[in-house]
């Protein structure tokens, strides 16, 4: 069977891309195993992400289980000689009712799966793509269970170690970081008041992000050995450690069942599209979880590929042609490169023992904290790149 577009991978980026592409009226294949979401990560959806999920008719299915984010606090907890002042970002300073919502990925995935199942022109292969072979006119895919299909364009949403990226011959620069993120959720005795608090430690940030009720999700970045040590603690000991790390701002802490450790890395492919294959989500960018950028970028990848395919097909173009791929590559390059650079720089400045770097970081945060226009610029840029036009509904 021949499709206009085949999406490979059914993580959040792949499902969103498949839905956005299905809304264009193109004939879509989604090659993705239906499996329960494997970890307890949550996503802070910022800027246009919620609006985009509304356009896709996904948001109404999960918004009741999301928590509003109205204030972001950055607290220097490095204990170093030169420390940055606390910086507080409030959404009302830039005329917004909220910055976004935090939602657990399991709930988001369920809503995405429900919506994807509603399109008659979206064919699901509950399977893995075993071989992906780009040729002149299309890309041939063979699945693990022996099915064959082809598509004029393949959207590679198959995460880190992307087989689509490899099939396209796209090189990737990979840098393992000597950091890992421990994730878990907590209940607490004091309300979070819609405030997300990021404690900057010499090993990385430890972030407490609101969930509905008196609950929060925790992403605790530390040296890999420390992350493993925390992971192995009893519930009581981890509750105590989290309460200490949060300086008891949330009162008494009780960890909920379920913890995961993610080794951190930065991955930058040299291209975002080649040989009839376009990359979205972590196949296109892997970043440390600072400033909640990863999936927000992935949603913008999905929005852009869908817009570009819609326009190409309306004007009778082949959606996998080199010109169309070039348009996608150009559309994503500045956004992905600027986020990767900013997050890498923020992470390095935190880890650096180099005194001038610490002074520079403290001075930068001081400037942001005390100078309104700069703070407002940082907030707006943190939500979405300022050069990005608002997306038209599909
Ligand atoms: C600790 C942590 C916290 C984070 N917090 C945030 C946050 O607050 N906000 C934010 O925006 N981002 C956040 N991120 C980033 C975000 O989680 C990722 O960007 C996002 O999960 C990536 O989704 P994805 O769909 O690209 O990849 P994945 O979720 O990895 O999905 C890839 C899918 O492809 C499938 N697959 C692989 N190969 C094949 C194949 N050959 N055939 C078929 N299927 C295949 C896999 O099974 C998988 O289901 C965080 C990341 C971490 C590590």
């Amino acid at each position: 069977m021949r499709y206009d577009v085949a999406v490979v991978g059914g993580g959040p980026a792949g499902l969103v891309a498949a839905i956005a592409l299905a809304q264009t009226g193109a004939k879509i294949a989604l090659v993705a195993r239906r499996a329960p979401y494997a970890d307890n990560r949550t996503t802070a959806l910022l800027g246009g992400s919620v609006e985009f999920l509304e356009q896709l008719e996904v948001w109404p299915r999960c918004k009741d289980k999301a928590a509003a984010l109205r204030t972001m606090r950055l607290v220097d907890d490095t204990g170093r000689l030169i420390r940055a002042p606390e910086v507080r970002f409030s959404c009302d300073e830039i005329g917004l009712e909220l910055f976004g919502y935090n939602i657990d990925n399991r709930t988001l995935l369920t809503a995405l799966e429900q919506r994807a199942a509603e399109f008659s022109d979206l064919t699901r292969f509950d399977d893995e793509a075993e071989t992906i072979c780009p040729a002149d006119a299309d890309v041939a895919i063979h699945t693990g269970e022996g099915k064959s299909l082809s598509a004029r364009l393949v959207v590679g949403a198959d995460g880190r170690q992307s087989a689509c990226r490899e099939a396209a011959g796209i090189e990737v620069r990979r840098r393992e970081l000597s950091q890992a993120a421990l994730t878990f959720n907590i209940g607490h005795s004091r309300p979070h008041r819609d405030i997300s608090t990021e404690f900057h430690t010499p090993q990385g940030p430890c972030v407490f992000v609101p969930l509905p009720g008196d609950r929060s999700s925790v992403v605790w970045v530390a040296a890999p050995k420390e992350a493993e040590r925390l992971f192995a603690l009893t519930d009581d000991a981890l509750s105590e450690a989290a309460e200490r790390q949060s300086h008891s701002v949330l009162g008494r802490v009780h960890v909920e069942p379920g913890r995961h450790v993610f080794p951190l890395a930065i991955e930058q492919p040299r291209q975002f599209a080649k040989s009839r294959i376009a990359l979205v989500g972590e196949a296109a960018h892997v970043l440390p979880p600072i400033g909640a950028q990863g999936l927000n970028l992935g949603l913008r990848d999905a929005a852009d590929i869908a817009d570009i395919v819609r326009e190409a097909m309306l004007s009778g173009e082949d959606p996998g042609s080199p010109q169309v791929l070039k348009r996608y590559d150009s559309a994503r390059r500045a956004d992905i490169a600027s986020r990767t650079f900013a997050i890498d720089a923020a992470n390095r400045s935190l880890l650096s023992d180099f005194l001038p770097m610490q002074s520079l970081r403290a001075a930068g945060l001081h400037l942001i904290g005390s100078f309104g226009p700069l703070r407002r610029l940082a907030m707006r840029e943190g939500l979405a790149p300022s050069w990005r036009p608002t997306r038209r509904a599909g």
Side-chain angles (χ1 to χ4, degrees):
M1 188 66 148
R2 194 167 191 248
Y3 295 87
D4 294 318
V5 187
V7 178
V8 176
L15 285 169
V16 168
I19 295 166
L21 284 158
Q23 275 192 343
T24 69
K27 211 165 137 206
I28 310 293
L30 170 62
V31 185
R33 274 253 177 261
R34 265 195 204 92
Y37 191 72
D39 61 71
N40 59 352
R41 255 180 296 174
T42 69
T43 297
L45 295 165
L46 305 173
S49 292
V50 170
E51 200 184 316
F52 181 41
L53 291 173
E54 256 161 15
Q55 286 171 15
L56 300 185
E57 296 176 37
V58 170
W59 191 240
R61 299 161 203 252
C62 54
K63 69 174 179 198
D64 292 351
K65 293 186 180 142
L69 302 173
R70 293 198 163 84
T71 304
M72 312 250 185
R73 283 175 74 199
L74 308 184
V75 180
D76 188 327
D77 200 16
T78 56
R80 287 175 178 144
L81 195 62
I82 303 172
R83 260 178 286 167
E86 178 179 322
V87 180
R88 200 177 257 261
F89 298 113
S90 294
C91 59
D92 49 15
E93 253 195 276
I94 51 171
L96 295 177
E97 211 178 296
L98 37 82
F99 283 125
Y101 290 90
N102 191 35
I103 186 162
D104 73 279
N105 289 7
R106 249 182 222 129
T107 303
L108 179 61
L109 260 280
T110 305
L112 290 168
E113 285 282 8
Q114 277 174 7
R115 178 65 180 128
E118 289 175 353
F119 292 93
S120 54
D121 260 350
L122 196 166
T123 308
R124 177 72 172 254
F125 292 81
D126 187 357
D127 205 347
E128 268 115 43
E130 201 170 72
T131 59
I132 302 150
C133 303
D136 282 351
D138 53 20
V139 182
I141 297 178
H142 297 281
T143 73
E145 289 177 6
K147 302 232 167 66
S148 297
L149 62 141
S150 68
R152 294 194 285 168
L153 170 70
V154 164
V155 171
D158 47 351
R160 298 176 182 206
Q161 275 112 38
S162 158
C164 291
R165 192 172 63 204
E166 207 181 312
I170 297 176
E171 271 178 58
V172 60
R173 274 174 289 171
R174 179 177 295 117
R175 185 152 52 85
E176 303 299 331
L177 301 176
S178 48
Q179 291 166 295
L182 171 70
T183 60
F184 54 98
N185 297 330
I186 56 170
H188 35 79
S189 61
R190 282 197 205 142
H192 47 56
R193 293 181 290 125
D194 307 337
I195 302 173
S196 163
T197 310
E198 190 163 317
F199 294 92
H200 290 174
T201 83
Q203 296 186 6
C206 177
V207 199
F208 294 79
V209 195
L211 283 172
D214 290 337
R215 296 174 63 236
S216 294
S217 58
V218 183
V219 179
W220 194 335
V221 177
K225 276 212 168 109
E226 175 62 4
E228 287 301 336
R229 185 190 72 78
L230 292 165
F231 178 79
L233 291 178
T234 62
D235 281 359
D236 284 349
L238 184 59
S239 300
E240 210 177 295
E243 189 176 326
R244 210 174 317 120
Q245 178 56 71
S246 66
H247 297 263
S248 299
V249 291
L250 297 167
R252 294 304 304 272
V253 165
H254 305 279
V255 303
E256 295 178 354
R259 316 171 183 179
H260 293 88
V261 174
F262 298 85
L264 301 187
I266 293 187
E267 291 185 9
Q268 292 173 280
R270 290 200 187 272
Q271 282 149 291
F272 302 108
K274 190 182 166 193
S275 308
R276 294 192 171 273
I277 296 177
L279 306 177
V280 302
E282 286 209 325
H285 39 78
V286 174
L287 305 169
I290 296 178
Q293 295 292 320
L295 185 56
N296 287 286
L297 264 180
L299 297 189
R300 298 203 286 275
D301 301 337
D304 281 354
I305 194 65
D307 287 348
I308 288 167
V309 164
R310 176 190 293 110
E311 274 159 32
M313 294 196 45
L314 277 175
S315 57
E317 273 181 293
D318 170 352
S321 67
Q323 308 84 273
V324 173
L325 294 189
K326 193 156 183 286
R327 256 173 254 154
Y328 177 68
D329 190 85
S330 317
R332 297 311 302 139
R333 191 157 287 278
D335 190 9
I336 295 173
S338 64
R339 305 277 133 173
T340 307
F341 176 80
I343 288 167
D344 190 18
N347 193 36
R348 280 175 195 255
S349 76
L350 196 57
L351 302 185
S352 176
D353 282 328
F354 187 49
L355 210 58
M357 176 66 105
Q358 290 176 19
S359 317
L360 203 65
R361 178 176 168 275
L365 283 171
H366 180 73
L367 209 61
I368 289 175
S370 57
F371 185 49
L374 198 59
R375 193 170 54 252
R376 289 190 280 278
L377 180 70
M379 280 189 259
R380 287 199 194 95
E381 286 299 323
L383 295 180
S386 51
W387 66 82
R388 189 179 167 80
T390 311
R391 184 177 189 263
R392 289 189 310 275

